[in-house]
Amino acid sequence: MSRQRWFTLQMSDTYQENCRLYKEMAGNVGRVAGAGALNDPNALAMFVADYPYLAETILQLAMILYYVNDRGRGNDLLRRCMFLYETALPSTVMPPITTNSNDVDNSNKNNNSNLDAENEILIDIDREPNAELFSTLFRIMQTSGMTGLYPNALAVGRFLLSLDPLRDPMGVLLILDYYALACRRSALMSGVVSKEVEMGSAFIIQLVESNLIHIHYMD
């Protein structure tokens, strides 16, 4: 029988001080310009330049760059944001890294404890420090799907769903079936079927057999 283990992020004093400075900056911009810092990309970019490791502001600036079609720099900021959470989360929370036989040395030894299937690792999105983690994972899944990286989008989506499968706060279950089918289609065209593609196919089969959703057939 699986045992649930709930995790939450705790901000350091320095991180909390940076958050306070950002809120203060946002308030000042709002009073001067009549709008919040979210509507002033220049102020946000200057703040990120001064404080380059604040996940909340990095994620906001990354999505602004995606909006103006600067996907290269937006992706760099998204990866930086995910790096912050990877270093903050314990290895038991992170998904195991799968490697092929030619790249065994690059595996993360700290993820070995994640192979313990008796524990269900959960994170509560309602705890304020955790909300940005869910947002970051959702944006990585979304942007990966936008650029055709369906196996990556599927992997991130499945991990995001596993953090709170009962409530599914980001609604990823609505899109995971599409990513799984897209992975399968791309793999059949290329002739290379990866482990993630096979797991996506198994996900679709289990989803249909569970009778949790209604399947409609079209002629």
Side-chain angles (χ1 to χ4, degrees):
M1 183 176 181
S2 63
R3 181 165 59 95
Q4 292 184 347
R5 298 182 61 188
W6 288 87
F7 289 81
T8 187
L9 293 167
Q10 292 184 344
M11 296 183 292
S12 64
D13 294 339
T14 302
Y15 197 93
Q16 292 182 21
E17 176 64 17
N18 292 342
C19 290
R20 185 191 66 80
L21 291 174
Y22 170 67
K23 292 179 180 179
E24 181 179 339
M25 183 270 294
N28 291 335
V29 171
R31 286 191 293 270
V32 174
L38 289 177
N39 296 323
D40 190 348
N42 293 326
L44 183 61
M46 293 175 62
F47 186 88
V48 171
D50 293 334
Y51 302 94
Y53 297 105
L54 187 63
E56 290 85 344
T57 55
I58 294 174
L59 179 60
Q60 293 173 19
L61 184 58
M63 298 319 299
I64 290 176
L65 291 173
Y66 268 97
Y67 181 77
V68 298
N69 205 27
D70 192 351
R71 297 187 177 185
R73 288 193 291 180
N75 182 60
D76 290 340
L77 289 179
L78 268 181
R79 293 175 61 184
R80 185 198 300 180
C81 194
M82 193 64 242
F83 169 77
L84 295 177
Y85 288 114
E86 286 179 348
T87 55
L89 291 171
S91 59
T92 51
V93 176
M94 300 302 296
I97 297 178
T98 57
T99 57
N100 54 40
S101 59
N102 297 326
D103 196 23
V104 176
D105 294 336
N106 291 331
S107 61
N108 188 347
K109 296 180 180 179
N110 292 331
N111 283 331
N112 290 336
S113 58
N114 211 22
L115 299 178
D116 184 8
E118 296 182 356
N119 295 324
E120 185 179 6
I121 307 301
L122 302 172
I123 295 181
D124 187 3
I125 192 176
D126 294 330
R127 301 290 293 271
E128 183 178 357
N130 301 336
E132 290 298 326
L133 169 62
F134 280 79
S135 297
T136 299
L137 289 171
F138 179 82
R139 292 301 185 182
I140 292 176
M141 179 192 72
Q142 183 185 49
T143 54
S144 297
M146 291 166 52
T147 54
L149 300 176
Y150 299 118
N152 186 60
L154 177 61
V156 176
R158 291 175 64 248
F159 174 59
L160 182 56
L161 180 63
S162 71
L163 297 179
D164 195 346
L166 181 61
R167 296 184 298 174
D168 186 16
M170 306 306 292
V172 296
L173 192 57
L174 297 175
I175 193 67
L176 282 184
D177 57 340
Y178 169 76
Y179 290 146
L181 293 174
C183 289
R184 187 69 180 179
R185 183 174 64 249
S186 301
L188 292 176
M189 293 177 61
S190 63
V192 179
V193 180
S194 64
K195 181 179 180 180
E196 188 61 40
V197 173
E198 293 293 346
M199 295 178 69
S201 301
F203 169 79
I204 291 293
I205 295 174
Q206 293 173 4
L207 191 63
V208 173
E209 292 180 346
S210 66
N211 293 324
L212 295 177
I213 59 174
H214 297 286
I215 306 298
H216 300 275
Y217 298 93
M218 298 181 62
D219 294 333

